[in-house]
Amino acid sequence: MNKFRALLVSKFEAGQKIEFTHLTEDDLMPGDVTVNIEHSSVNYKDGLAITGKAPIIRNYPLIPGIDFAGTVKSSAHKNWKVGDKVVLGGWGVGESHHGGFAQVARVNGDWLVPLPAAFTTADAMAIGVAGYTAMLCVMALEEQGIKPEQGEILVTGAAGGVGTVSIAVLSKLGFTVVASTGRMEEEAFLKSLGAASVVNRSEFNGPAKALGKTRWAGAIDSVGSTTLANVISQIIPEGAVAACGLAQGMDFPGNMAPFILRGVRLIGVNSVTTPMQRRLAAWARLERDLDLKKLHALTTHVKLDDVPRVAAEIVEGKIRGRVVVDLT
Ligand code: NDP
């Protein structure tokens, strides 16, 4: 049987071992669709999984990688046939089921979405879980009735994956976007993606006031912790925050005042088990509302061998935009 390359994480008493290896399809987990992976991407969760900084991997040894795009190699699933182009993100892939840092994957066909016509498999992974989550956050703000004329939208973790795609989409939709970053040297880059202005993330670092001066009609937050608490205290009455991440921390040292005195709404966004209809809606919106030139500008391309290095860098907050892994 043909061998393919994979990154494999094993568990030992002393910690995790990461190796590049050659596997066959017999080594893969059960599923009804086998995919020749063309591209994957490095998400923050992959960084946590590979460095072992959080207990993301629940089934050792495991091929990490929470997303991939490629071509169906074989299928026993009614929706998919050989040659179909497909995209996968979430569903426990790269956590409990072998994931995208390999040249072949076998998965449940119910987890796959068709590659949108506007995108190559590399584009789909430039978006990846982070970019698709950014779109879910934009949709969440829209569903709360947030409109461009109501004021500025703050994007935290602005130079990261969720942040950069959020800026590109929101600006195309006519929102005035303010980017919050710890990397002020990226100001010109963030403005090129559509940010109207850039603020230093240290503004959101002290203890949050019960009610701060109102500044934002809405926000997309991928940082959590003190940052999220400060941002919520500065949202205008009836404004909303879509919160999806914990790059600063899992805690939420905020208080009730903005919710009960200003009617501020905090919307949690989870991309892992999003129902299929909403996934398809998000991908259709990305086709319509994400400028491909901006997507390419925020993307770096690497090889499988680079993944452990990039994984370490992403948890240190050193990665700009999105990183696509070429597996062809
Ligand atoms: P990135 O690492 O690409 O971006 C995170 C950004 O957060 C960094 O670039 C940095 O931005 C900022 N940041 C990092 N550390 C800190 C800190 N200590 N304090 C304040 N800001 C910090 O990750 P992603 O954009 O891919 O993901 C962001 C978060 O969203 C992660 O926690 C991830 O797990 C989560 N996520 C959740 C999903 C869900 O389904 N809920 C799906 C996808 C992602 P800057 O340098 O500009 O300040």
Side-chain angles (χ1 to χ4, degrees):
M1 191 174 271
N2 287 345
K3 293 199 162 193
F4 59 86
R5 276 198 93 209
L7 178 66
L8 198 67
V9 181
S10 309
K11 178 103 174 144
F12 291 91
E13 268 173 38
Q16 293 188 162
K17 184 177 103 180
I18 296 167
E19 63 184 320
F20 293 98
T21 185
H22 285 88
L23 302 176
T24 70
E25 283 184 33
D26 285 344
D27 298 311
L28 294 174
M29 292 173 183
D32 50 12
V33 181
T34 305
V35 179
N36 279 323
I37 299 179
E38 288 157 24
H39 296 92
S40 180
S41 82
V42 184
N43 288 275
Y44 190 87
K45 195 183 258 181
D46 299 317
L48 293 175
I50 291 170
T51 59
K53 286 212 164 127
I56 302 295
I57 298 180
R58 297 192 299 273
N59 198 0
Y60 291 92
L62 191 89
I63 302 169
I66 64 168
D67 56 18
F68 64 75
T71 304
V72 172
K73 186 177 186 220
S74 64
S75 170
H77 189 283
K78 61 180 179 5
N79 291 1
W80 308 109
K81 60 180 190 317
V82 174
D84 285 345
K85 295 281 186 186
V86 291
V87 182
L88 184 142
W91 299 117
V93 168
E95 300 183 56
S96 53
H97 191 99
H98 284 322
F101 296 142
Q103 291 176 304
V104 182
R106 191 191 293 126
V107 295
N108 181 338
D110 293 342
W111 298 341
L112 297 165
V113 299
L115 178 72
F119 301 133
T120 63
T121 52
D123 292 338
M125 284 302 102
I127 296 166
V129 167
Y132 144 78
T133 302
M135 191 71 235
L136 292 176
C137 289
V138 172
M139 289 162 62
L141 292 184
E142 289 174 340
E143 285 156 8
Q144 294 304 315
I146 307 302
K147 300 207 163 49
E149 57 272 22
Q150 288 169 318
E152 293 176 330
I153 306 295
L154 182 72
V155 173
T156 64
V162 174
T164 48
V165 177
S166 296
I167 294 167
V169 171
L170 286 167
S171 65
K172 180 152 185 206
L173 293 171
F175 288 95
T176 304
V177 184
V178 177
S180 162
T181 183
R183 291 180 270 180
M184 291 306 287
E185 66 274 18
E186 298 296 355
E187 180 168 359
F189 167 65
L190 295 170
K191 285 185 172 169
S192 76
L193 296 179
S197 58
V198 179
V199 294
N200 195 310
R201 76 185 192 197
S202 60
E203 288 190 28
F204 308 99
N205 248 345
K209 287 184 182 162
L211 291 175
K213 183 172 178 293
T214 54
R215 293 171 76 183
W216 322 109
I220 293 180
D221 177 62
S222 60
V223 169
S225 191
T226 311
T227 299
L228 177 60
N230 273 280
V231 170
I232 285 175
S233 77
Q234 298 173 7
I235 299 285
I236 65 169
E238 312 308 323
V241 178
C244 71
L246 44 62
Q248 185 176 32
M250 185 75 114
D251 59 328
F252 174 56
N255 74 82
M256 291 299 296
F259 304 120
I260 60 177
L261 299 177
R262 289 180 176 160
V264 169
R265 281 151 291 163
L266 173 60
I267 312 299
V269 174
N270 164 31
S271 66
V272 178
T273 51
T274 315
M276 187 50 69
Q277 216 179 346
R278 192 161 176 85
R279 278 174 193 263
L280 295 171
W283 279 102
R285 288 292 306 275
L286 285 158
E287 274 190 290
R288 198 188 82 186
D289 297 327
L290 178 59
D291 183 319
L292 268 182
K293 276 200 193 114
K294 288 184 180 174
L295 178 66
H296 295 159
L298 63 83
T299 303
T300 307
H301 294 263
V302 301
K303 301 283 185 198
L304 186 62
D305 298 285
D306 300 309
V307 168
R309 170 184 59 80
V310 177
E313 288 175 0
I314 200 165
V315 289
E316 288 168 16
K318 289 184 179 159
I319 293 295
R320 184 176 97 164
R322 296 275 304 138
V323 179
V324 170
V325 184
D326 186 350
L327 289 148
T328 51

